[in-house]
Amino acid sequence: MTISNSLARRMLGGAAALALLGAAQIAQAADTIKVGVLHSLSGTMAISETTLKDTVLMMIDEQNKKGGVLGKKLEAVVVDPASNWPLFAEKAEQLLVKDKVAVTFGCWTSVSRKSVLPVFEKNKGLLFYPVQYEGEESSKNVFYTGASPNQQAIPAVDYLMKDIGVKRWVLAGTDYVYPRTTNKILEAYLKDKGVKPEDIMINYTPFGHSDWQSIVSDIKKFGSAGKKTAVVSTINGDANVPFYKELGNQKISAEDIPVVAFSVGEEELAGLDAKPLVGHLAAWNYFQTYSAPANSAAIKTWRAFTKNPKRTFNDPMEATVIGFKLWVEAAEKAKSVDVDKVSESIIGLSVPNLTGGTATMLPNHHITKPVYIGEVREDGQFDIVWKTDKEVPGDAWSDFLDGSKDIEADWVKLKCGNYNTKTKKCSGQNY
Amino acid sequence: MKPIRPKLCLRHQLAILCAALGLAAFGASTAKADEAAAAPVEPAVAATTVAPAATNDLAALLAPLANANFAEKEAVAQKVAVSGHPNARPTLAAFLDGKLYARSSDGVVVVAEAVEGGEESLALTDPVTQKSLGTEPAEGLSKIGTNNSLRKSLKNLLAQIALTDPDPAVRLSAVKESMRALDETTVASFRATLAAENDTKVKRAIEVGLALADLESPEADTRLAAVRALDGELAPEVHNRLTTLVTPAEDGTLAEPDERVRLAANAALDNINFWRSVYGAAETMFFGLSLGSVLVLAAIGLAITFGVMGVINMAHGELIMLGAYTAYVMQLLIPDNHGLALLLSVPAAFLVSGAFGVAIERGIVRFLYGRPLETLLATFGLSLILQQLVRSVFSPNNRPVSIPEFMSGVWQVNDALALTYNRLYILVFSLMVFAALVAVLKRTPLGLQVRAVSLNRPMARAMGVRSAFVDAATFGLGAGIAGIAGVALSQLTNVGPNLGQAYIIDSFMVVVFGGVGNLWGTLIGGMSLGVINKLLEPYAGAVLAKILVLVALILFIQRKPRGLFPQKGRAAEGH
């Protein structure tokens, strides 16, 4: 008797609590707009992705101070996919189906993006992806605010070829999809420019590789053939540290064989002794050292938000900021946060980027970006040595790869992410 | 216990010999490192007193640097180099090192260096007189930046000046540096210095440079003499030049019209290629041994806990990681002297990891003897706990451990062979650790007891050996050695929470390959795996090489399940 009685009471209490919770949620949902944040907060990618979560939170905070969007406050829904690719899809599903977020900012690695892509397409979600990537993709439900290869890799190679006079190329990368695709594009591009196959050396190493002695020695030998040599590095993560250390040890200086990296930025250099790296290059669309009023203001806000006067600002963070601003403008313009309406109104919108230019959303869901080349300084920051005259429009499908040359993405006229201009057909998405 | 002793004599002698050799090599290479480090410093001290007239010249030359672009800076550097001012050289050297600043208050160009202890202010030196100008807060100075092309021309200009340096070693490196950009002025200064040169090595280097220049001569005889002079030279410049000489262009035209010169060049090239491949093989061997030494260092602690005690310790990698973090902490404690910090972290890491090891043995492993599966699971869990511990205490990010002066750089044996000091030291260090460990096991009472317990526990206990104490001490010893390995690894790879995971598999591989319970097996096993890996790497790539080694190992274990050097004896076979 007593048992069932207490049980009943507990159940009643539970139901009441649930009802209250539900009511609170409904009340909240009525005057806030939910923004999903899908970045790994634990695991191997946490080092890079946690910063982006904080960037989104900062932007939401700033926007709410200005009165929110369409008169409603923004509310962040932060989930942790834990650097686990299948978990990304699960968490994305949760954000879209359970939390019903209006927009999601998230993903870093290409494999995590590929994992959530079907979820966003199925549930008609909206994802802003803020990291430089290998291209060869354009989804109706994703906006890519990071660089595609023609906004980072190709201009960097052009710089080395024209300004430094590089004749021999080492394409060194970590063994996964981004370096392999980028190097395939670069190889095709270099051959297109008349570089002979024997002047290109391609090398892949596993994640976290630490024994670089024979590879660096090979690079040294390859580079001592009398032609100016450069290394184009798509080496990712902490394998970079022993790589640069070994370069320093074997006395390969940046003057002899410069290394231009696509994945080494301020955040990566903040944790290590940058002395052996001085003079080596990085290609990005943003550098913290760029002097522009918008940049100093953003860095100041960021440092105040994180309460750390030495926090660094980097390229994917700028891309997050741009993506966020674009979404806010598009929502204001469409007078709605409905995914279809925002996706329509965002095309052609321009917002100022942090280096004094503008970022315009193109019909292929990529944006215009300036390209900068920086030389590493002793303090882990970059001296900008070269930049493009104006912003470069992002190209979803590389013009240098067979099979990708004829494909075009246009969500306004063609309403297709991979329209084949030869067969005049849209093949639909293939992930 | 007694009968074991005489058998060990030969091995024991070998170990001592090994240690002695290791020490000798260590001493020799330290001396070389010191020489190399001392050489470039000398000229900066040499020139101090300056005539007042020349003072103004240099100051006037330097003045525009404050607001110059890179092209203008290069022009200034060139003017400074040809000014003949005695302090031109230290000024350019400071420029190259990024120590040249413009003082904001008066725009004067000064050399600024960080002062010990003073974080915010820099010590200033007047580049013109090389006299101290006191200190200045960092905000009052703006750095005169350099970029790659500017640094390259600065290096070249410095090399030109250094051709007349009193130190032959400096002259030699200056000649080699200038040879990389051989133009008319360089050739002229080579010719000018050749007659006065009395050091044979420098003389030879200059002759090589001149011979390279002579290859451009219109006279076939001069070219022939030049080719003959270049025979046996291993410098890449010579190899490249001779190769272009004998390789026909795409349209079939020959770069060298004279038959005799071509033949001589071909012969010289064959000779050079032979020696280059010999030194290339030596280099690969060194890389292999160096990789092997890292494997041996990582595995040798495991060889004790797994090999001697039979405990599968999955937290072994984390004990290595703790050692690496000890090196990092020591560097924080002694921030001014990285070399001392590194040397002290060797015993410190031994104590830290050893203490953890003893705690693990007393707290967990001793309850699980004879239950390998449970030991495996318990220590695996422990490894995760230890990883999380350093994540919470330090941070999930990698910690930087700097490389001390004497560890960085390269020992240029000749033009075709260069060995990096850090790898060389670690190779020697691992041999020393190995020798010390063998000595402990074979020579000390503890070692005797360890071997007794591992061979036959009940018998050892019957003889009065306190087996519980011996277990703890053995485990602590193995853990301490893992800590020492961590110190060495901190010089090669990232110090982060995941450091240990990268080495645990390799360590087990080495121990199993070498033969469980045999330290010599670990040494031979580690070294051969390293060499095999490096031999395969050029053909198969880093990823495939490792896979091939693993497959080969699996096949090997099928043939010889007890590894290279199986433990013999009744007790061992009864396991």
Side-chain angles (χ1 to χ4, degrees), chain A residues 212-213 215-217 219-220 231 240-257 259 273-280, chain B residues 155 403-405 407-412 418-423 491-492:
Chain A
W212 288 96
Q213 32 178 356
I215 292 167
V216 167
S217 162
I219 291 175
K220 196 175 176 180
V231 180
N240 275 302
V241 181
F243 173 61
Y244 283 108
K245 268 190 191 171
E246 189 67 39
L247 283 175
N249 272 331
Q250 299 202 16
K251 296 275 177 224
I252 299 180
S253 66
E255 298 100 68
D256 302 328
I257 303 180
V259 178
D273 181 16
K275 253 181 227 141
L277 281 73
V278 170
H280 287 300
Chain B
K155 267 191 185 170
I403 301 175
E405 269 311 300
M407 290 276 290
S408 51
V410 52
W411 175 25
Q412 195 80 41
L419 309 177
T420 46
Y421 281 125
N422 63 345
R423 297 279 177 176
Q491 294 298 305
L492 295 179

Side-chain angles (χ1 to χ4, degrees), chain A residues 64-211:
Chain A
N64 282 343
K65 278 186 202 158
K66 286 188 236 160
V69 175
L70 302 170
K72 290 181 184 175
K73 294 270 183 209
L74 298 178
E75 184 199 345
V77 183
V78 179
V79 290
D80 177 15
S83 311
N84 176 346
W85 322 134
L87 196 59
F88 264 90
E90 240 169 79
K91 293 286 176 184
E93 184 104 25
Q94 178 194 329
L95 284 175
L96 294 172
V97 177
K98 189 170 148 271
D99 295 310
K100 302 209 180 315
V101 295
V103 60
T104 304
F105 294 87
C107 299
W108 181 290
T109 57
S110 289
V111 49
S112 68
R113 187 191 67 252
K114 297 269 186 207
S115 143
V116 302
L117 224 124
V119 180
F120 275 89
E121 297 196 338
K122 187 183 82 191
N123 296 303
K124 300 203 166 31
L126 186 58
L127 172 71
F128 281 81
Y129 176 66
V131 185
Q132 33 77 269
Y133 81 119
E134 69 279 3
E136 308 300 299
E137 185 182 306
S138 174
S139 163
K140 184 174 189 286
N141 300 73
V142 183
F143 289 90
Y144 307 81
T145 57
S148 59
N150 76 316
Q151 290 173 310
Q152 189 188 26
I154 300 275
V157 165
D158 274 341
Y159 165 75
L160 290 172
M161 208 184 281
K162 286 174 193 145
D163 289 36
I164 312 276
V166 173
K167 299 272 192 301
R168 261 166 102 84
W169 305 84
V170 181
L171 308 179
T174 305
D175 203 358
Y176 76 106
V177 55
Y178 165 68
R180 283 207 178 251
T181 315
T182 307
N183 284 346
K184 218 190 278 172
I185 293 172
L186 286 180
E187 197 187 351
Y189 181 72
L190 287 172
K191 285 184 178 156
D192 202 50
K193 293 275 168 189
V195 178
K196 286 187 200 128
E198 66 261 28
D199 284 338
I200 303 175
M201 167 178 158
I202 300 180
N203 184 290
Y204 292 104
T205 40
F207 269 106
H209 190 66
S210 67
D211 193 63

Side-chain angles (χ1 to χ4, degrees), chain A residues 211 214 224 238 249 256 279, chain B residues 148 180 240 422 494 534 537:
Chain A
D211 193 63
S214 43
S224 65
D238 52 12
N249 272 331
D256 302 328
Chain B
N148 280 330
R180 295 154 54 113
N240 294 336
N422 63 345
N494 291 304
K534 285 294 163 189
E537 213 172 88

Side-chain angles (χ1 to χ4, degrees), chain B residues 510-522:
Chain B
V510 168
V511 174
V512 171
F513 178 55
V516 174
N518 192 320
L519 284 183
W520 286 98
T522 306

